[in-house]
Structures are given as C-alpha cells and as structure tokens.
C-alpha cells in the first residue's frame, strides 16, 4: 500500500534577534526568554503572511509588533523582501536574507482618525494604528492587507502607500476599532479579525476570514468566511461557515487554490509538546457539511517526515520527524508544483517552542507530498482513551497524539452533562480527571451518589452544564504512575463527543484510511434513570456526521447489554459487547438477571451476543489468563469461539508499565517502570484477535508491523 506522506524538502530560518534598520522598537514590549526592549532597530517578530514572487524571493509581512496597540507604537508596519538560501538534501546555508522592505504609510492622508505619526510628512503606520495579519497581491501589483483592529481591509500600492479608506465589515467591529461608538458592544473579539485573507485565482475576489468566533456566537467553533469584490470595492454579502476542531482554535491563514477551494491554517495557542492542532485543511466552498463548508486535512504540521535530516539539531520537533509546534503557525503558500510553504510568527520575544528559554527563530519550511510504501498490520490498534500513556486521557491532545502515533481507532468514553451534551470522560465522576476540586465556585457540587450499586463521592458531569464543564481543565488520572503526563495538567478542556468525532473524520491513519472512533457508553442504566439517556444523542451525533452506516469507521461499546440492543435498532454501525474479567453487566444485575460476564463468553452467550453485536471486547485475561506466578498462560478458546459466531475480538487494555504487564514481560520489580509491552502485544496478536487496546499506540503499532 502506498500513501501520501508530507515530507520536509527545504528549510530556512531568520534569527529571532535579527534587527532591521530603523528607529528603536519594543520599549513597552513584555520581556521574555532573556530579552528586554527597547532594541536598537526594528524587530522582525516573525511573519504572519508570505507572498511568492516566483524568482526565489518572497514578500514577508510581520503583524503589529508586540501584540497590542498600547505596546506597539514604536513598531513600523512593513513588508520585507526576503530571499531564503534553502537548506535541502543537497546543501544550502538554511538562512533567510532580508534584502529590503516597503513601509506602509498614509502619506496621501487618507485616514480620518489620528495615527501615531500624525504630524509627519510620511505618516508611517505603526502597530498602534493597525494590526496587519494577512496580505495578498492583486493583478495590478497592489497589496490588499487583512487587519484585526477594525477588522479592516487595507489597500496599498506597490510601494506601501494607502490608496483608499479602510474597508469596513458592517456589523462586525472589534474593541480596538477607531470608529466604535461609545457604549456599543463589539461583535468581533479582540485580536480576532482578519488573520487570514486569500485572493481568488482569477484575482477578482478576496476571502477574509474572521479568526475566532463572534462574541454573540452560539457555536464557539464557527468561523466566518466573507467575500469581497475587488472590482466593485465592496463585500458581496456571501458568507460561509467553517467549523474549527475545537472552540479555542483560530484560523491562521488562507490561500486560494484551483477549483475555487481554500487552504486554511487552523491552529491552537499551544506550543512545543503542548501543541495539539497545527493543521492545514482544504475547504470546499461549494460542499455543505451540516451547515458548514466541507474540510479535508491536507497537512498535520506536527508530523512531517524529514528523511534527509534537513531540520536536525534545531531543538524540539526536529530530526527524523519534523514538527512545526510553534504557537503562531500563520502562513501557508502553495508553490508552483504543489509544494506548500509554511512559516511562523514568533511573537518576539515570547515564543520558545523549540528550545525553552530561547526565542524562536522565524522559520520557512517547504513540504512536499510524496507517495511512500506503508505496511499495514492485520491487527488494529485502538488508542485507549487516546494516547493516554503520553497525555491526560480523553483530551484532544491525547487523541491527536494517538493519530500521530498511527492508531487505527481512537476511543472516547461517553457521559452526559446536565444539559444533555455528550462529553468524553472516563467516568461521570470527574474529581480525579479535572481540576474541579481546586475550583471554589464548584465546592458545593461535591456529593455522594450510587453509581451501578457503588457509592461514589465527588463531582459528576450530570451536575454541570457544558458551559460550566468548559471552564475546567483536564488532569492526569494516574499521576503516580505517569508523572510526565502531569506536566500537561490544567491545559486542555473537556472535549465533546462531537469534537472527538470531528477530529477523527478530518484525519487519516498512517496507511491512508479514515481514523475510526470507538465510543463507549458509560453507565447507561444510571443515566437512563436520571433522564439523560445516552443512546439517542449518540445515534443523533453519528447521523449528523454521516457515520451511522454499516461501513462507517465506528464501533459503539458498552459493558451493558440492554443499551446495545437499543442501539442496534437506532444505528447500523458495529456494536461491541464489552466483557470484564469478573462481575456482570449492570443492566442485568438491576433486572435481577443472574447471568454474569462468564456466561456471556460461553458458546450460548456468544451466540446471543451475535444477535445484537458484532464484536466482543474482552478484558485480556479472558483471552490469555495468567498463571499462579502472574505469567501468561495458555490462550482460552474465546477467540476461536467468537470468530465461529461471526464476532470480532478486541483485547483490552495493554499498557507499558510493569504493574499492568504479565510477570514474564516485566523489566523489574519497579511497578511504574516500562516493561515489554511490545512482547505482550505480539503474544495477543498471535491468538488471532482483531484489535488491541493500548495506552501507548506507537509501541503497539511498531510491535505489530515489525
């Protein structure tokens, strides 16, 4: 099998500390990473937009300087002419030379509001006047700039002089808009204007994109794309809705490609190993996806092959696999031939994604899409709650990490909020997986409930609305076992099931297949009893995304039997009956049915499961029991018997740490030390199972294809 693999083919950098000619800048910039302003010249704080000149040079435009109107009055708005000496497999210095610049100005006195350099002849524009974030070039050689303080569209000539008054977006002002009426409520949030701007391939239309959600937006994941007619000098009134992967993500750049589609950069605000979303999606403006434009992943910039070692030695995310984990991934340009140029705004001196304590350089990277042969395993790897061995479980960070590690399927446990929204949590009790215990405002929500016959004290999802849950942040559930994961405590919100499904359906596996989703309904009898049934909203979520058919990359799991029978009538996707090593399905217990999990794995039990389900998800000792000394024993007949009834078998859960491994696969007596997970994976694969659950998908995948 051959799949397209993004590959780094060229890279060049500009030192973070480079100073261009001009007056001192950064007198009020926030000190960071050992750098304190003012600096003796004009800082170049990365590039928010790049234009290809086709001759080896590029126009590269920084933003407003240091982040706000208040601290950027000494930063001059410019567009720099740069020439990369690309480092490639054949050599090259890998340095970016600055050959010149144009200064944006209002020397024609077009603006009708005061600017910093109001009384000067040149009227050079500064970062206190506009926050420029994007730029395109019209066929007449003039520049159109997307701006955030308005948000405005600005039209400059080829020398940088403002040609006409800023074009306003009616009904959408930001708090920094100079025309904002006193007492009015700005609809555009601060720094959420036109971060992205594309020009149609025929040069007729501009497509500015609102970076974040509007202040009055009901769907915080919605971003709005507008259309502006250059010939008429006016907005056409056409808009499109784009849905981000999660509420906190922003649109970093846009580029129009053949066919009328757009490439959009979608990113989060994390950097380094905290980064989750640094992606480029291709957006089809003519295809509807439930009220949103259809988007297809083109590049996950956190995982780019670098077989020639072009990036080696440059800090985090460089070497054999190249990652672009910068906070402000803000540039995409499609070059002739189809390669993509990506670049960053380094928010000088604040970002240090590559080397903590050292400001990030400005990077240009060229990514090619090469077909490479991939080896697919016969046994699927299901990422148990995401790559939960590396990130706090049930976060988009854990699911994204699992996808990067070549998992075939990601698994969210599903519980309900007070307002009936399905979210991903291991249990409805969230005291051990979020920071709720440290939130005084929720102290009175701590209570004791009986869940499946067991008394549990803590905080419960069904006592919180989704909006309230969104204020919490995830924490590592096993901090003593996985202390490295605790570094990420307090960073990531609780994802909805819809967000997890969307992440999967907008991703592909390492062998080019759709990423599967295996939602597990938690405590369905309990939730039915409090009026928050899980089955109907789960079926509705799958139907809304077109994932309710028999061929959908979805399998729904449950430890109970009744809700699987109910789901069998609601959806056509495969269903998995989970079987524990002991005990009984709680719905049977509640009904007074004496059958246990032991009964479910008999031939008669498997035959009955096959009437409503397609998979047996078995606790691993059901497949290979352990001997008296804790070693793996002889496999049972479960796999053979289940296959005989037409059922697949999934084994759970295979983990890295000694305490979870059979004695003959442990590395030492230290319970939290790493053992031979790969060996255990191979042992279970040899039984003929169809899939294995693992907290460490990378190790499981390597064991299966090695």
């Amino acid at each position: 099998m051959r799949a397209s693999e993004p590959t780094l083919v060229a890279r060049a950098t500009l030192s973070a500390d480079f100073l261009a000619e001009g007056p001192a800048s950064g007198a009020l910039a926030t000190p960071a990473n050992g750098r304190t302003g003012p600096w003796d010249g004009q800082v170049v704080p990365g590039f928010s937009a790049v234009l290809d000149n086709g001759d080896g040079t590029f126009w590269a435009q920084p933003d407003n300087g240091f982040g706000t109107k208040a601290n950027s009055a000494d930063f001059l708005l410019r567009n720099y002419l740069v020439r990369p000496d690309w480092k490639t497999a054949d050599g090259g210095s890998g340095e970016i030379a600055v050959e010149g610049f144009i200064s944006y100005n209002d020397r024609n006195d077009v603006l009708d509001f005061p600017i910093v350099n109001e009384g000067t002849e040149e009227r050079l524009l500064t970062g206190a006047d506009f926050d420029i974030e994007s730029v395109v070039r019209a066929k007449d050689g003039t520049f159109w700039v997307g701006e955030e303080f308005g948000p405005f569209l600005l039209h400059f000539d080829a020398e940088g002089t403002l040609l006409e008054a800023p074009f306003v977006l009616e009904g959408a002002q930001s708090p920094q808009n100079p025309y904002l009426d006193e007492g009015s409520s700005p609809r555009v949030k601060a720094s959420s204007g036109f971060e992205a701007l594309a020009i149609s391939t025929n040069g007729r239309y501009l497509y500015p994109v609102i970076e974040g959600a509007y202040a009055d937006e009901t769907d915080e994941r919605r971003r709005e794309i507008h259309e502006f007619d250059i010939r008429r000098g006016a907005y056409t009134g056409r808009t499109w809705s784009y849905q981000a992967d999660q509420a906190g993500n922003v649109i970093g750049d846009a580029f129009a490609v053949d066919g009328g589609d757009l490439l959009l950069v979608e990113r989060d605000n994390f950097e380094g190993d905290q980064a989750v979303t640094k992606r480029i999606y291709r957006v089809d403006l003519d295809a509807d996806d439930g009220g949103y434009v259809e988007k297809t992943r083109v590049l996950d910039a956190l995982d780019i092959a670098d077989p020639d070692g072009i990036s080696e030695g440059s800090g985090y995310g460089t070497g054999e696999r190249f990652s672009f984990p910068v906070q402000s991934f803000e540039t995409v340009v499609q070059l002739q031939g189809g390669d993509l140029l990506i670049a960053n705004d380094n928010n000088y001196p604040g970002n240090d994604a590559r080397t903590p304590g050292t400001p990030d350089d400005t990077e240009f990277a060229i990514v090619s899409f090469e077909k490479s042969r991939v080896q697919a395993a016969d046994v699927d790897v299901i990422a148990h709650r995401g790559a939960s061995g590396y990130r706090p479980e049930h976060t988009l960070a854990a699911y994204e990490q699992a996808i990067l590690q070549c998992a075939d399927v990601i698994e969210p446990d599903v519980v309900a909020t007070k307002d009936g929204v399905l979210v991903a949590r291991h249990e409805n009790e969230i005291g051990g997986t979020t920071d709720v215990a440290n939130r005084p405002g929720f102290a009175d929500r701590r209570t004791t409930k009986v869940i499946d016959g067991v008394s549990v004290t803590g905080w419960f999802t069904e006592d919180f609305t989704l909006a309230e849950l969104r204020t919490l942040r995830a924490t590592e559930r096993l901090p003593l076992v996985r202390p490295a994961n605790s570094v990420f405590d307090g960073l990531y919100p609780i994802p909805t099931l819809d967000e997890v499904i969307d992440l999967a359906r907008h991703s592909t596996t390492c062998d080019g297949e759709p990423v599967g989703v295996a939602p597990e309904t938690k405590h369905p009898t309990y939730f039915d009893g409090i009026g928050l049934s899980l089955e109907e909203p789960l079926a509705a979520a799958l139907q809304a995304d077109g994932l309710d058919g028999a061929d959908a990359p979805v399998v729904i799991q449950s430890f109970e039997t009744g809700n699987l029978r109910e789901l069998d009538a609601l959806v056509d996707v495969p269903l998995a009956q989970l079987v524990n090593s002991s005990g009984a399905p709680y719905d049977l217990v509640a009904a007074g049915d004496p059958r246990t999990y032991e009964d479910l794995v008999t031939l008669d039990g498997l035959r009955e499961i096959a009437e409503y389900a397609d998979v047996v998800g078995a606790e691993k000792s059901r497949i290979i029991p352990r001997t008296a000394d804790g070693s793996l024993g002889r496999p049972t007949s479960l796999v053979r018997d289940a296959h005989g009834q037409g059922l697949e078998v999934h084994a759970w859960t295979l983990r890295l740490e000694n305490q979870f491994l059979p004695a003959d696969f442990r590395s030492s007596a230290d319970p939290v030390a790493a053992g031979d997970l790969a060996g255990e994976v191979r042992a279970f694969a040899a039984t003929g199972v169809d899939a294995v659950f693992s907290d460490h998908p990378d190790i499981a995948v390597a064991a299966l294809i090695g």
Side-chain angles (χ1 to χ4, degrees):
M1 180 182 297
R2 299 184 68 83
S4 179
E5 181 173 41
T7 302
L8 183 69
V9 295
R11 183 169 181 257
T13 62
L14 178 69
S15 170
D17 295 315
F18 174 85
L19 294 174
E21 64 180 79
S25 60
L28 298 179
T30 302
N33 294 314
R35 309 299 197 270
T36 302
W39 294 279
D40 189 20
Q42 286 290 298
V43 168
V44 179
F47 297 123
S48 291
V50 173
L51 299 175
D52 181 12
N53 293 322
D55 61 358
T57 67
F58 298 84
W59 285 110
Q61 177 184 283
D63 59 13
N64 84 314
F66 306 107
T68 69
K69 279 192 172 189
N71 66 8
S72 299
D74 59 4
F75 183 85
L76 299 177
L77 302 185
R78 293 174 169 176
N79 202 347
Y80 287 92
L81 183 66
V82 302
R83 184 184 298 273
D85 179 24
W86 298 107
K87 181 179 179 181
T88 69
D90 298 323
S93 69
E95 297 178 356
I96 297 174
V98 177
E99 296 188 345
F101 60 86
I102 59 173
S103 290
Y104 292 128
N105 65 85
D106 183 35
R107 63 170 56 99
N108 292 340
D109 206 12
V110 169
L111 298 174
D112 61 358
F113 56 83
I115 61 173
V116 170
N117 291 317
E118 180 72 24
T120 67
E121 182 178 352
E122 290 193 315
R123 291 173 60 84
L124 297 179
L125 297 173
T126 74
D129 304 318
F130 294 109
D131 183 5
I132 58 174
E133 294 286 356
S134 46
V135 63
V136 298
R137 181 168 43 204
K139 288 187 178 296
D140 62 3
T142 60
F143 295 109
W144 286 87
V145 171
E147 190 274 346
E148 291 206 307
F149 287 162
F152 298 127
L153 289 176
L154 305 174
H155 190 198
F156 295 95
D157 69 16
E159 302 302 319
T161 299
L162 192 63
L163 293 172
E164 31 194 343
F167 291 89
V168 302
L169 180 61
E170 294 296 334
Q173 294 177 313
S174 86
Q176 295 88 4
N177 189 302
Y179 303 121
L180 186 67
D181 294 330
E182 185 175 352
S184 63
S185 298
R187 190 175 180 224
V188 176
K189 298 176 184 177
S191 297
S192 291
F194 295 148
E195 183 79 42
L197 175 68
I199 186 169
S200 61
T201 54
N202 65 7
R204 172 74 184 270
Y205 299 103
L206 301 179
Y207 295 98
V209 187
I210 296 294
E211 179 182 21
Y214 287 122
D216 58 356
E217 185 60 70
T218 55
D219 179 1
E220 292 190 353
R221 295 169 61 193
R222 192 177 86 90
R223 309 290 178 261
E224 193 166 69
I225 303 169
H226 292 266
E227 183 178 67
F228 182 90
D229 188 334
I230 291 177
R231 191 178 302 168
R232 292 175 48 232
Y235 286 94
T236 67
R238 295 183 72 194
T239 63
W240 296 263
S241 294
Y242 171 94
Q243 190 172 47
D245 289 347
Q246 57 180 326
N249 287 358
V250 299
I251 305 304
D253 198 16
F255 189 90
V257 294
D258 290 341
D261 293 353
L262 299 180
L263 299 180
L264 292 187
V265 172
E266 182 178 336
R267 66 168 179 86
D268 59 18
N269 273 311
F270 295 114
E271 64 178 350
D273 61 358
Q274 299 176 359
V276 178
T277 307
K278 311 292 180 186
R279 291 185 166 198
I280 296 173
Y281 286 108
R282 185 172 180 130
V283 175
D284 185 344
L285 299 182
D286 294 325
D288 181 77
D289 184 13
Y292 296 93
V293 291
E294 185 178 280
K295 68 180 192 180
T296 304
R297 187 188 68 171
V298 173
L299 174 68
D300 190 328
L302 295 179
D303 187 31
I304 299 170
D306 185 9
D308 298 311
I310 292 170
S311 66
E312 191 171 6
S314 303
Y316 177 82
T318 61
E320 183 178 349
R321 305 298 298 184
F322 176 68
S323 177
F324 205 55
V326 295
Q327 179 189 19
S328 296
F329 172 20
E330 293 188 356
T331 294
V332 59
V333 176
Q334 187 178 68
L335 305 175
Q336 292 182 358
D339 291 350
L340 297 183
L341 181 148
I342 59 178
N344 68 305
D345 171 2
N346 65 16
N347 299 302
Y348 186 84
N351 291 163
D352 58 352
R354 297 292 188 199
T355 305
T358 301
D360 284 336
D361 291 335
T362 301
E363 301 184 35
F364 279 15
I366 295 179
V367 180
S368 179
F369 295 84
E370 302 178 357
K371 291 287 186 180
S372 60
R373 188 170 298 279
V374 294
Q375 183 178 352
D378 294 330
V379 178
D380 284 343
V381 172
I382 302 173
H384 186 236
R385 308 170 192 168
S388 52
Y390 301 97
R391 299 292 186 274
E393 65 188 31
H394 294 312
T395 60
L396 287 190
Y399 298 126
E400 165 70 2
Q401 195 68 20
I403 294 168
L404 294 178
Q405 292 182 359
C406 299
D408 299 289
V409 181
I410 55 177
E411 186 224 17
D413 293 337
V414 177
V415 294
T417 66
K418 184 177 182 178
D419 44 352
V421 180
L422 300 185
V423 295
R425 285 291 88 192
H426 171 51
E427 295 286 347
N428 55 326
E429 198 291 302
I430 55 174
T433 60
T434 72
D435 58 3
V436 65
N438 299 323
R439 302 297 185 97
F442 294 133
D444 61 348
R445 307 279 178 97
R446 189 172 188 268
T447 187
T448 299
K449 300 187 179 190
V450 177
I451 311 295
D452 293 359
V454 178
S455 181
V456 180
T457 299
W459 292 262
F460 298 85
T461 59
E462 63 268 23
D463 296 331
F464 292 77
T465 65
L466 177 63
E468 290 173 327
L469 277 183
R470 288 293 207 188
T471 68
L472 305 179
R473 290 297 178 265
T475 59
E476 171 55 38
R477 187 174 63 88
L478 302 171
L480 298 180
V481 178
R482 294 168 180 167
N485 284 10
S486 297
V487 174
F488 303 97
D489 284 358
L491 295 178
Y492 305 122
I494 297 172
T496 64
L497 174 65
D498 186 48
E499 288 172 336
V500 179
I501 291 173
D502 282 350
L503 179 70
R505 71 189 184 96
H506 294 135
S507 303
T508 53
T509 64
C510 294
D511 53 7
E513 298 296 322
V515 172
V517 186
E520 179 191 336
T521 56
K522 302 292 288 196
H523 311 300
T525 294
Y526 169 79
F527 276 107
D528 273 347
I530 60 173
L532 289 171
S533 177
L534 303 177
E535 293 77 29
E536 292 83 3
L538 175 53
L542 295 177
Q543 290 162 0
D545 288 326
L547 295 176
D548 58 330
D551 58 349
V554 175
V555 56
I556 301 176
Q557 310 175 92
S558 180
F559 279 102
E560 297 189 14
T561 65
N563 76 314
L564 287 177
R565 293 179 184 275
E566 184 178 348
L567 283 162
D568 189 35
L570 294 174
V571 296
D572 291 329
V573 301
L575 305 178
Q577 177 66 66
L578 297 177
V579 177
N580 213 330
S581 58
S582 61
Y586 186 71
D587 63 315
L588 298 185
V589 173
D593 189 319
R595 287 177 296 165
T596 66
Y597 288 119
E598 186 70 33
D599 296 309
L600 265 57
V601 296
T602 64
L603 283 173
D604 286 342
L606 293 171
R607 195 173 294 117
E608 184 173 346
I609 289 173
E611 294 176 359
Y612 62 85
D614 309 271
V615 179
V616 173
E619 194 278 327
K620 60 185 182 180
S621 66
R622 290 277 181 194
I623 300 167
I624 310 180
R626 297 188 185 183
T627 62
D629 66 358
S631 300
L632 281 186
R634 293 175 58 85
T636 68
S637 64
L638 176 58
V639 174
R640 182 183 69 247
D641 294 343
H643 284 172
Q645 298 303 318
L647 296 166
E648 289 190 2
V649 179
H650 299 172
W652 56 271
T653 299
L654 282 63
R655 296 180 167 110
L656 178 66
E657 295 86 5
N658 283 326
Q659 63 184 285
F660 302 117
L661 286 164
D664 42 340
F665 290 93
R666 296 172 191 161
S667 61
S668 68
D670 182 353
V672 301
D676 184 12
L677 170 59
E680 186 186 33
V681 169
R682 286 190 288 267
F684 275 85
T687 68
V689 298
D690 302 281
V692 294
F693 284 78
S694 182
D695 294 0
H696 302 79
D698 56 337
I699 297 174
V701 169
L704 291 168
I705 66 175

